[in-house]
Amino acid sequence: MKHLSPKEAWSWLQAERARLETAGQDGPLFVDVRMEIESLYVGRPPGVENIPWYEYPDLTPDPLRFAAAVEQEAGSKARPVLLICRSGKRTLDAGQALETAGFTDVAHVVHGFEGDLNEAFKRSSLNGWRHEQLPWEQM
């Protein structure tokens, strides 16, 4: 699995989209693994597909279900997949599940969308997609 900083992930996503679309293929699948409510209310990058690693009320990952949902959306296990979550932790497990299921090109956004907690226990102040001022939207 590739470990990309938010800025590296954004650059990689743009370059891969251009490269693959020029070749007549679908660009990378960008997947937000957070619960849908997190993605909608906290914010998310534009164009991301929400496929939760786990969902309320169980909060228990089902790696096989997750990999099957990503495969259905991707259309192929060879399609590049970029994963994002809140802090970059869930995507490590989700990415491992995809690789175990046979996906061949998996990357994740280190520090995720909101990044690490600062000394005041607040996110988006040290690192992460939003802190890097990359494109995002909110419901």
Side-chain angles (χ1 to χ4, degrees), residues 35-37 52 54-60:
M35 293 182 289
E36 184 177 27
I37 197 81
Y54 55 72
E55 193 60 84
Y56 186 83
D58 297 332
L59 304 178
T60 302

Side-chain angles (χ1 to χ4, degrees), residues 15-94:
E16 283 296 288
R17 278 183 182 150
R19 182 183 72 79
L20 291 170
E21 288 171 5
T22 297
Q25 300 174 355
D26 289 329
L29 178 62
F30 193 10
V31 177
D32 186 341
V33 307
R34 295 174 295 168
M35 293 182 289
E36 184 177 27
I37 197 81
E38 287 179 276
S39 181
L40 292 174
Y41 286 105
V42 174
R44 61 187 181 185
V48 73
E49 295 292 330
N50 182 241
I51 304 174
W53 175 237
Y54 55 72
E55 193 60 84
Y56 186 83
D58 297 332
L59 304 178
T60 302
D62 182 343
L64 295 176
R65 180 211 52 80
F66 176 76
V70 172
E71 183 177 8
Q72 182 177 353
E73 187 66 37
S76 166
K77 291 182 179 180
R79 184 176 177 187
V81 177
L82 176 63
L83 304 172
I84 192 167
C85 66
R86 180 185 65 202
S87 64
K89 308 247 183 317
R90 273 178 271 187
T91 53
L92 291 173
D93 292 336

